Amino acid sequence: MPRVTVTGFLICRSLEEADRAASLLPEHTRLTRAEAGCLRFEVFRSMSDPCRFAVHQVFASPEDYDAHRERTRASVWAKGTKGIIRELRISEQ
């Protein structure tokens, strides 16, 4: 069964928006890493552009990634980061 890898960026429009995302990130990370099938979940805020976050996620299967997306759909993270630009590349390997 193929793994799902998600890489890319979150791009905020302001420092306020970026700070809000950063404040929500620890709990979102904790919950995601606890999900079945989450093999890697990393989000890093850029030091050179504090409005930009790099994303690297790996899930054991497409079903695990779908479960992650379903969980987050109504989460505090989703509500708090609504409108933030997501430039993500999703691949199955």
Side-chain angles (χ1 to χ4, degrees):
M1 184 172 296
R3 291 182 174 183
V4 175
T5 300
V6 180
T7 56
F9 300 96
L10 300 178
I11 303 167
C12 300
R13 292 180 184 89
S14 68
L15 282 176
E16 177 185 47
E17 190 175 59
D19 288 344
R20 183 175 63 247
S23 74
L24 296 171
L25 195 52
E27 181 66 1
H28 177 57
T29 299
R30 184 188 71 76
L31 291 170
T32 300
R33 288 180 177 168
E35 293 173 4
C38 178
L39 303 177
R40 173 178 234 147
F41 186 85
E42 298 174 320
V43 180
F44 300 102
R45 191 172 190 176
S46 171
M47 293 179 72
S48 61
D49 180 355
C51 288
R52 191 172 178 95
F53 295 79
V55 175
H56 185 208
Q57 307 170 16
V58 180
F59 293 88
S61 71
E63 292 78 17
D64 292 323
Y65 179 60
D66 290 343
H68 165 71
R69 293 190 61 195
E70 183 62 30
R71 181 193 65 79
T72 60
R73 192 165 282 131
S75 69
V76 171
W77 169 259
K79 292 174 187 170
T81 62
K82 184 177 180 177
I84 292 177
I85 297 166
R86 288 159 166 81
E87 292 182 354
L88 302 174
R89 191 170 344 131
I90 301 165
S91 62
E92 292 186 17
Q93 304 169 349

